[in-house]
Amino acid sequence: MKRNKIIGIALISILIGINSYAQKNKYTIDAGKVPACTHVHLDDFPHHKAVPIIKGWGGMAVDINNAPAGTDFTPLLHGLENNHCQVPHWGYIIEGSIKVMYEDGSEELFAKGEAFFMKPGHTGIVLEDLFLVSFSPEDAMEELIKHIEKRVDELNSSSASK
């Protein structure tokens, strides 16, 4: 019960942060376009995608990320602007930790129990088996996911030909 309260408080804080960032950087959350069902279970996320995502949350998308320790997201971002993800993410680390590296050379560590904002221009390396939930602008996430799925196919093709 305590864990659920902590997660609830973190998600409310994240959504407030999303709203203020959205206004500043012209991301728009449209509460009129939020679905009638405003909650999802982990089992509701697609299991066949590189990034399990559910769209239609008033201009935002919610995704979950499970990645083992040692996962480096950098190869998946190759070909994007500055080879870094340019999509902002707000989220909560349920398990594990990730080191996030930004284009400007700065780094942050996000760990279990922390709400986070991952600014545009980032990549990351998973330090401990990671399980997180994040919210991001829907249109930007759709483009990012297309790129990641293309990169996964390219990387799988190149490793299969060796």
Side-chain angles (χ1 to χ4, degrees), residues 8-9 21 30 96 99 126 130 141-142 147 157:
I9 291 168
Y21 184 86
D30 186 346
K99 179 171 79 169
V126 177
L130 184 67
M141 274 304 283
E142 283 188 82
H147 177 84
S157 294

Side-chain angles (χ1 to χ4, degrees), residues 30-68:
D30 186 346
K33 292 184 180 175
V34 174
C37 181
T38 57
H39 56 94
V40 293
H41 190 274
L42 290 176
D43 294 339
D44 295 331
F45 286 84
H47 300 286
H48 61 285
K49 297 286 188 178
V51 181
I53 184 173
I54 295 178
K55 302 179 287 187
W57 287 53
M60 299 299 286
V62 59
D63 71 273
I64 56 170
N65 198 321
N66 258 331

Side-chain angles (χ1 to χ4, degrees), residues 71-135:
T71 300
D72 182 352
F73 292 103
T74 307
L76 297 175
L77 305 175
H78 181 77
L80 293 174
E81 181 181 333
N82 299 322
N83 296 320
H84 284 70
C85 177
Q86 301 300 323
V87 179
H89 310 286
W90 295 260
Y92 182 78
I93 307 290
I94 297 168
E95 294 290 336
S97 63
I98 182 170
K99 179 171 79 169
V100 178
M101 295 87 64
Y102 294 102
E103 294 172 338
D104 66 6
S106 64
E107 297 180 351
E108 291 185 282
L109 175 67
F110 300 142
K112 179 180 179 175
E114 294 181 338
F116 65 85
F117 170 64
M118 198 177 299
K119 63 186 178 185
H122 62 269
T123 187
I125 297 176
V126 177
L127 302 178
E128 299 173 71
D129 291 352
L130 184 67
F131 180 46
L132 67 79
V133 60
S134 69
F135 301 86

